[in-house]
Amino acid sequence: MENKKTNILMITTDQQHWNTIQALGNEAIHTPNLDRLAAEGTAFDRAYVSNPVCSPSRSSIITGEYPSRHGCWNIGVELDENRSTFGHQLQKSGYATGLFGKAHFKPVLKEGSFEAPPHIHDREFWKKWDGPYYGFEQVAMLHGHADEDSSHGMHYGAWLAEQGIDPQQYFGPGGGYREGSWELPEEYHYTRWTADKTIDFLDKQDNIQPFMAWCSFQDPHNAFLCPEPWNSMYDPEQLPLFIEKEGEMLDKPMLHRYLSEDRMDEMDIEVTADPGHDTGGLQCLGHTNKKIGYERARKWLASYYGMISLIDYHIGRVLDKLDELGMADNTMVVFTSDHGDYAGNHGLWLKGPIHYDDILRVPFLVRWKNKVPAGKRTSSLISLVDLAPTFLELAGLEKTDTMQGVSQLHTMRHPDESSREWCLVENRAEPNFYVKTLIMDQYKLNYYLEREDGELYDLTEDPREFINLFDDPQYKDMKLKMLMRIIDIYGELEKPIPPRQSFA
């Protein structure tokens, strides 16, 4: 009996800037397979995250909830395994579900955590265990970035051991601080492994049972370490200039000004980790072009582009497998990233609570042959919190009571008919530092709770976010309107759960 439901393939990267696809405007980068998806599907130019940090964003993707509801408000916080995910719901509807690559729903540094050392290096456990995990029946996981000690853990680490690879030759201890060319042979790189595991899953499908597969790459996240020939693919001097402007921080909030003056230690903010290590909080802002030097910053960007091109190559292999199996016409393919990277713009790198679009906005492509327009670009707003309800509607299911996103299925079919008027980003960067961002058609507001300053941008007139209108008297009414809209939005989002059953 032939499968009558639509298959779902979600491909994600980790920390990919929105402007890193050649077909969508960046002529300096080589991305033939993402270009292929864009040509065969629709590109959402205004896709936003619910949170610009890995664990909260990924938790929102699978639950359809904002961090303030699902509870995983930063990395180092665990998503409750009992929370309903689109994987659970799709399984109930008969879908085979699989997750291959990075998960990061649990702390990765806390001893005793399922996704942290020493458990991730228990080779015998990972040889035998393949799920279920957060609604995914079959999983093949890894975590870590570049040569971090955690990068050779979980299923990937067990596989490396089977190949006779000594992890000490290429990974840790420590790790995560090297940059440039990585001597790890590309055939043993985790990007290839993630694609291989996804392809293995696809090979096992029978065109009778529908499937949902998540191919989850963990690059181009720092450290900027990339195997050859990919690391040498780009000349640092031939890449786009960083987006920055002399004196641009002068009308920005205190956080921006202190950063540009290198006085972070004087701020009334709790910083609990090594400033040199990426933990997802304020300390991620420790790298600026001024501090690391422009020559080194350009090399970072070249490696970053190389990592993306390596991923793109393996995305092509996954797409080719769909074609080979005759599944491409009956599979919705979604490509996006869990959040962006400042990528040198505004003098910044990595991610943090300064909410430029560089980290809030992500690439988003959807291909569903003969259902979604080919070669189309749209400015209709979409949030990653919308993925779960979209997948459920695609499967003929209602979204659950807890889901706060909206299905984008109609907009995917009719890209100029938007399904939402706003996008919301929550970022509790530290317990006492909370940023909320509201993006609407033209304006964007960054509101720092319990602080007097903020940001307001006209994205039509000032898409690079150089001019802060927050304290401009001419925009007082717009600022008030945006602040009141945030209050109204939370009134909508805080729908009582469970619903009321009785009046007494």
Side-chain angles (χ1 to χ4, degrees):
M1 182 175 65
E2 186 179 354
N3 170 31
K4 298 298 184 183
K5 291 190 175 182
T6 302
N7 304 313
I8 303 166
L9 171 62
M10 180 169 68
I11 304 172
T12 60
T13 56
D14 188 345
Q15 205 161 302
Q16 183 172 346
H17 192 278
W18 64 267
N19 187 22
T20 49
I21 298 176
Q22 186 183 78
L24 301 183
N26 187 339
E27 296 181 357
I29 197 164
H30 184 67
T31 54
N33 294 294
L34 292 177
D35 296 350
R36 169 181 166 190
L37 279 180
E40 297 175 349
T42 294
F44 281 76
D45 289 332
R46 302 192 68 200
Y48 285 90
V49 301
S50 68
N51 182 290
V53 181
C54 299
S55 295
S57 179
R58 290 166 177 270
S59 297
S60 290
I61 287 172
I62 64 172
T63 64
E65 302 171 22
Y66 290 93
S68 55
R69 170 164 286 177
H70 63 59
C72 183
W73 57 271
N74 206 335
I75 60 173
V77 181
E78 180 174 334
L79 178 66
D80 184 354
E81 285 193 54
N82 293 318
R83 293 205 80 81
S84 176
T85 70
F86 68 68
H88 291 121
Q89 302 306 315
L90 290 174
Q91 277 192 60
K92 293 177 183 178
S93 182
Y95 275 71
T97 58
L99 166 59
F100 310 100
K102 180 175 179 176
H104 204 176
F105 304 128
K106 295 179 183 287
V108 297
L109 296 178
K110 178 184 176 183
E111 186 172 355
S113 171
F114 189 81
E115 295 191 36
H119 179 252
I120 61 171
H121 295 307
D122 182 349
R123 301 287 192 240
E124 292 306 312
F125 173 85
W126 295 99
K127 286 179 183 178
K128 299 173 183 177
W129 181 85
D130 63 359
Y133 200 57
Y134 288 96
F136 296 95
E137 294 175 279
Q138 182 181 336
V139 298
M141 293 164 47
L142 73 163
H143 182 70
H145 305 284
D147 63 339
E148 292 176 341
D149 184 60
S150 60
S151 295
H152 64 91
M154 298 180 166
H155 295 99
Y156 172 63
W159 176 81
L160 283 176
E162 291 175 349
Q163 311 312 304
I165 300 297
D166 177 9
Q168 299 307 314
Q169 184 177 356
Y170 302 110
F171 302 89
Y177 299 98
R178 297 167 63 201
E179 53 197 64
S181 181
W182 193 8
E183 67 273 20
L184 176 72
E186 193 269 340
E187 61 262 34
Y188 299 120
H189 192 266
Y190 45 68
T191 290
R192 176 180 287 273
W193 179 87
T194 297
D196 285 347
K197 289 303 175 182
T198 305
I199 289 170
D200 289 346
F201 177 82
L202 295 177
D203 265 329
K204 295 173 184 175
Q205 304 312 305
D206 55 15
N207 267 328
I208 296 174
Q209 181 184 20
F211 67 81
M212 189 286 154
W214 183 359
C215 179
S216 179
F217 298 106
Q218 75 263 44
D219 279 349
H221 191 292
N222 58 291
F224 303 115
L225 186 67
C226 185
E228 298 297 352
W230 307 95
N231 187 72
S232 300
M233 188 172 183
Y234 296 96
D235 179 350
E237 299 308 315
Q238 300 300 314
L239 298 181
L241 297 175
F242 298 125
I243 295 172
E244 53 187 341
K245 179 181 177 183
E246 184 69 29
E248 69 172 283
M249 298 297 186
L250 295 178
D251 67 352
K252 303 296 171 68
M254 179 180 66
L255 174 63
H256 301 57
R257 299 196 301 273
Y258 271 79
L259 174 66
S260 64
E261 296 168 7
D262 197 16
R263 296 167 60 192
M264 289 286 289
D265 57 325
E266 299 180 23
M267 294 189 67
D268 180 24
I269 298 172
E270 179 183 351
V271 178
T272 57
D274 176 0
H277 189 70
D278 173 19
T279 66
L282 294 173
Q283 55 277 12
C284 289
L285 294 170
H287 295 301
T288 66
N289 296 333
K290 185 184 298 184
K291 293 176 186 175
I292 67 174
Y294 274 84
E295 180 179 356
R296 186 178 175 199
R298 305 299 296 173
K299 290 180 178 178
W300 278 15
L301 190 63
S303 294
Y304 185 74
Y305 275 33
M307 295 158 88
I308 293 170
S309 288
L310 172 58
I311 292 169
D312 180 89
Y313 172 79
H314 290 290
I315 288 175
R317 294 178 55 229
V318 175
L319 297 179
D320 288 346
K321 176 57 66 171
L322 281 180
D323 290 340
E324 176 191 323
L325 296 173
M327 295 177 174
D329 288 351
N330 192 38
T331 301
M332 173 186 279
V333 180
V334 170
F335 168 80
T336 190
S337 191
D338 61 355
H339 55 80
D341 190 305
Y342 297 117
N345 295 323
H346 308 284
L348 304 174
W349 281 93
L350 316 182
K351 57 186 180 288
I354 292 183
H355 278 193
Y356 286 117
D357 265 15
D358 301 280
I359 64 165
L360 304 188
R361 189 175 162 195
V362 286
F364 194 101
L365 305 172
V366 57
R367 185 189 77 180
W368 186 18
K369 292 189 175 183
N370 302 314
K371 303 291 195 307
V372 167
K376 176 72 174 179
R377 297 180 68 172
T378 178
S379 59
S380 293
L381 290 169
I382 190 171
S383 170
L384 297 194
V385 78
D386 298 335
L387 281 169
T390 301
F391 292 158
L392 293 192
E393 185 181 1
L394 183 68
L397 304 174
E398 296 287 335
K399 74 174 186 179
T400 65
D401 289 339
T402 59
M403 288 183 178
Q404 297 168 301
V406 299
S407 173
Q408 292 279 352
L409 202 59
H410 177 82
T411 301
M412 289 175 175
R413 288 179 167 133
H414 309 280
D416 294 326
E417 299 177 18
S418 181
S419 294
R420 59 163 62 246
E421 297 179 350
W422 50 266
C423 285
L424 177 70
V425 182
E426 302 176 335
N427 187 1
R428 192 180 286 276
E430 295 289 342
N432 63 339
F433 197 94
Y434 196 175
V435 191
K436 291 181 183 289
T437 291
L438 177 64
I439 302 106
M440 300 191 74
D441 183 50
Q442 181 174 354
Y443 291 95
K444 171 182 174 182
L445 177 76
N446 299 327
Y447 176 60
Y448 299 78
L449 274 67
E450 298 184 348
R451 296 174 186 271
E452 294 183 358
D453 49 15
E455 296 162 89
L456 176 66
Y457 298 105
D458 183 336
L459 296 178
T460 301
E461 298 297 325
D462 178 31
R464 296 184 172 186
E465 302 172 89
F466 286 147
I467 305 169
N468 183 13
L469 305 172
F470 192 82
D471 292 321
D472 187 328
Q474 296 183 61
Y475 291 87
K476 179 177 64 175
D477 290 343
M478 178 54 64
K479 177 172 71 174
L480 178 61
K481 178 181 178 181
M482 297 282 281
L483 288 168
M484 292 180 67
R485 189 72 182 100
I486 289 178
I487 295 172
D488 289 341
I489 285 169
Y490 275 98
E492 298 172 25
L493 296 178
E494 292 168 358
K495 175 183 176 182
I497 296 175
R500 190 176 187 181
Q501 300 295 325
S502 175
F503 289 89

